[in-house]
Amino acid sequence: MLDEIGVDSETALFDIPDEVAFDGDLGIEQRSEREIVTELQETFADNDDLVEFLGRGHYSHYVPSLVDNLSLRSEFLTSYTQYQPEITQGFLQALFEYQSILTELTGLSVANASMYDAATALGEAALLAERVRAASGTTVLVPEQLRDGKRGTLDNYVDGSDLTVETYPYADGTVDTDALADAVDDDTLLVYAETPTATGAIEPALETVGDLADDADALFTYGSDIVALGLLEEPAAVGADVVVGEGASLGLPAADGMGTGLFACREDFLRQVPGRLVGAGEDESGRRAFTLTLQTREQHIRKERATSNICTNQAWVALRTAMHAATLGADGLAGLAEESVRRASDFAARIDDVDGVTAPVHDRHHFREFQVSVADAPSDAETTAAGLREHGYAVHVVGDHRLQVCVTETNEHATDGLVAALREVTA
C-alpha cells in the first residue's frame, strides 16, 4: 500500500511539526498484565472512600439492573451511532424513542440523537442561533452563575466566530429580570437561562426570559436535565426555541463521568440541527423502518455548509437514558423529580438547624442540590469541607463561606451522618 501511494514509511503519512513531535524513548517498562492490575489496585486503594454529596452537573440516581442487562448486549456495545439501517434497526429505533421522549418532555418538535454533554449542546445552540437568524446580533447572554466547565466550552465553541458571550446577573439565585431587560438589546442573538440553576434553584422567571428574548428577536435557549423536565412546565410553553441539557442523570451512575447532551428545537430549525437525527419511514415492503436522516455534518456535505463538526456522539449513553426513562414511565419520572425537590427541601431544613449554618442560601425551591452558608460558623468553607472529608463526606466548596451539597436516593441514607459531622466540624 505504501508503494501504491508513493511513500517510504508509515511515518511519512503524518505531517507533525518538529517542534511538537516526540522523538525519544517513552521509558515505559514492560510488565505483565497481572503486574499492571496489581499496581492499579494499589493505586486505587489510595483513593478516599467518601460518600459524595457533590452534584453540580453530575447526579447519581439508582439505575435499574434492566438497563445494564439490555445495554451490555453485544449488539448495542458501541458509543458510535450505527449507520447501517439494514442491520441496526433495533439500535436506530431505540435512538428514535430517545428523541421521542425528548420531544414529549420539551414540547418541541425536533430532537437529535444526543450530543457529548450539556456544555457542548449549549455551544451548538449558540452556533445554531448564528445560522438561523436573519438579523445581525452577535451577543450570547448567559447567567453569571454558570458552571466553569459549561462557560469554558461555550467560549471555545464561539471562538473564531463573530459571537461574543456576555453575562447577566442573578438576584437571590435566579434571574434578575430587570437587569436582564437592561442587558437585552438589538445586538442580542441568544438568551440562555437554565433550571435548575447552577446552585440547584428552580428558575421561576422563564416565561419572562422568553418574552424578553422574543421582543429582541433573539433565540431563547432553555437549559435543564432530563429528570427535572419530568416535573417542570414544558419549555415550549414558556417560549423556548431550543432546549439543551444533560441526559446522563438517567442511565448512568455519576462516577462514570460521561454525559449525554440533550438537544431539542422548534421545527423551523430542522435543517440546522447539529449531530445526528434518526427518522422513521417505511421500507419498500411497507414495513416501519428507521434510518439516519438529514445528515448535515461535514462528513456528509461540504464543510462550509455543515451545521456541526461534532464527530462521534453518545449513542450508547443515550440508549441507556432511553431505557431508564422507559423503565420509569411518565409517572415514575415525575415521581423521581418530585422526590428530588422533597429531598432537597428536607435536607436543607436539617442542615439549617446546625448552629452557625444557613441552608439553603437562596430562598427558592431547589432540585437535588442547594448552597450552604457557614459565614456564622467558626470555620470557613475550606476548613469545613476538609473536616467533613475526615468524617467520610465530600461536598463542593463554592466560596469562602459557602458549600454546595446534593442529595438523591443514592446518598440519602448518609444524610444523618453528614448533618452530625457538620455539627461537630462547625462547633
Side-chain angles (χ1 to χ4, degrees):
M1 184 178 292
L2 293 175
D3 290 339
E4 288 296 322
I5 60 177
V7 298
D8 296 329
S9 67
E10 184 182 343
T11 306
L13 299 175
F14 302 100
D15 183 18
I16 303 174
D18 291 339
E19 57 270 27
V20 298
F22 178 74
D23 183 21
D25 186 353
L26 292 173
I28 299 176
E29 180 184 352
Q30 185 175 3
R31 284 170 291 179
S32 70
E33 176 183 316
R34 182 175 179 180
E35 289 172 324
I36 293 172
V37 170
T38 300
E39 183 176 329
L40 288 174
Q41 289 173 334
E42 292 173 350
T43 300
F44 292 150
D46 291 336
N47 290 337
D48 291 331
D49 186 15
L50 302 176
V51 179
E52 296 180 355
F53 287 84
L54 295 173
R56 288 185 69 82
H58 296 280
Y59 306 107
S60 178
H61 287 289
Y62 175 75
V63 180
S65 55
L66 175 149
V67 175
D68 280 340
N69 289 330
L70 288 180
S71 67
L72 293 176
R73 289 176 61 93
S74 59
E75 58 266 43
F76 289 137
L77 271 181
T78 174
S79 62
Y80 215 67
T81 306
Q82 300 186 28
Y83 290 102
Q84 299 91 342
E86 300 88 349
I87 60 173
T88 58
Q89 282 297 296
F91 203 120
L92 290 170
Q93 181 174 0
L95 292 178
F96 183 83
E97 302 300 343
Y98 165 85
Q99 295 174 177
S100 300
I101 290 169
L102 291 190
T103 58
E104 286 196 32
L105 289 174
T106 62
L108 297 172
S109 302
V110 178
N112 73 9
S114 80
M115 313 300 292
Y116 295 137
D117 54 23
T120 52
L122 174 58
E124 293 286 355
L127 298 184
L128 178 144
E130 186 181 34
R131 292 192 299 271
V132 302
R133 260 180 56 102
S136 56
T138 59
T139 303
V140 175
L141 282 176
V142 300
E144 61 181 3
Q145 294 182 13
L146 200 62
R147 288 196 307 276
D148 292 342
K150 191 177 287 184
R151 175 60 195 269
T153 301
L154 176 61
D155 288 339
N156 283 336
Y157 257 80
V158 303
D159 187 28
S161 74
D162 294 330
L163 304 182
T164 58
V165 181
E166 296 182 5
T167 62
Y168 62 85
Y170 272 4
D172 196 20
T174 55
V175 175
D176 182 336
T177 52
D178 291 336
L180 177 60
D182 292 338
V184 174
D185 57 28
D186 291 342
D187 194 47
T188 303
L189 174 72
L190 179 151
V191 180
Y192 174 69
E194 58 187 13
T195 183
T197 67
T199 64
I202 295 175
E203 175 59 61
L206 291 166
E207 188 168 357
T208 302
V209 175
D211 290 343
L212 289 171
D214 190 52
D215 291 344
D217 195 22
L219 294 192
F220 173 26
T221 295
Y222 177 119
S224 191
D225 82 64
I226 194 165
V227 179
L229 288 172
L231 177 65
L232 299 171
E233 187 176 13
E234 282 185 353
V238 294
D241 298 296
V242 180
V243 172
V244 298
E246 187 57 62
S249 48
L250 291 183
L252 282 178
D256 282 21
M258 290 190 285
T260 303
L262 311 178
F263 195 101
C265 64
R266 292 197 282 116
E267 189 164 0
D268 311 25
F269 309 148
L270 175 62
R271 293 187 176 276
Q272 297 295 335
V273 173
R276 295 164 171 80
L277 284 167
V278 178
E282 292 183 350
D283 67 9
E284 62 180 11
S285 302
R287 296 173 299 185
R288 195 182 191 205
F290 302 89
T291 188
L292 295 181
T293 186
L294 297 171
Q295 300 188 71
T296 51
R297 299 178 302 138
E298 63 187 27
Q299 292 96 327
H300 301 107
I301 62 175
R302 292 200 306 273
K303 182 177 181 179
E304 60 272 21
R305 295 185 58 220
T307 56
S308 171
N309 62 4
I310 195 167
C311 293
T312 189
N313 70 351
Q314 301 294 80
W316 186 73
V317 188
L319 173 80
R320 292 179 61 98
T321 298
M323 287 177 174
H324 193 166
T327 304
L328 290 169
D331 291 341
L333 184 60
L336 179 60
E338 289 169 356
E339 283 294 285
S340 297
V341 176
R342 193 270 306 164
R343 285 192 188 93
S345 177
D346 292 351
F347 193 30
R350 294 170 60 202
I351 289 177
D352 194 55
D353 283 340
V354 177
D355 289 342
V357 178
T358 301
V361 169
H362 304 296
D363 184 19
R364 303 291 187 189
H365 294 293
H366 286 77
F367 194 89
R368 297 196 195 96
E369 56 191 334
F370 52 89
Q371 293 195 341
V372 177
S373 172
V374 293
D376 297 325
S379 57
D380 62 14
E382 287 283 0
T383 305
T384 303
L388 291 175
R389 278 197 299 276
E390 292 179 1
H391 284 77
Y393 304 102
V395 301
H396 277 296
V397 175
V398 293
D400 292 342
H401 301 283
R402 194 169 290 189
L403 307 170
Q404 187 158 329
V405 298
C406 175
V407 59
T408 71
E409 67 274 22
T410 64
N411 62 3
E412 189 175 24
H413 66 281
T415 53
D416 288 347
L418 185 139
V419 172
L422 184 62
R423 184 170 285 112
E424 183 175 334
V425 168
T426 57

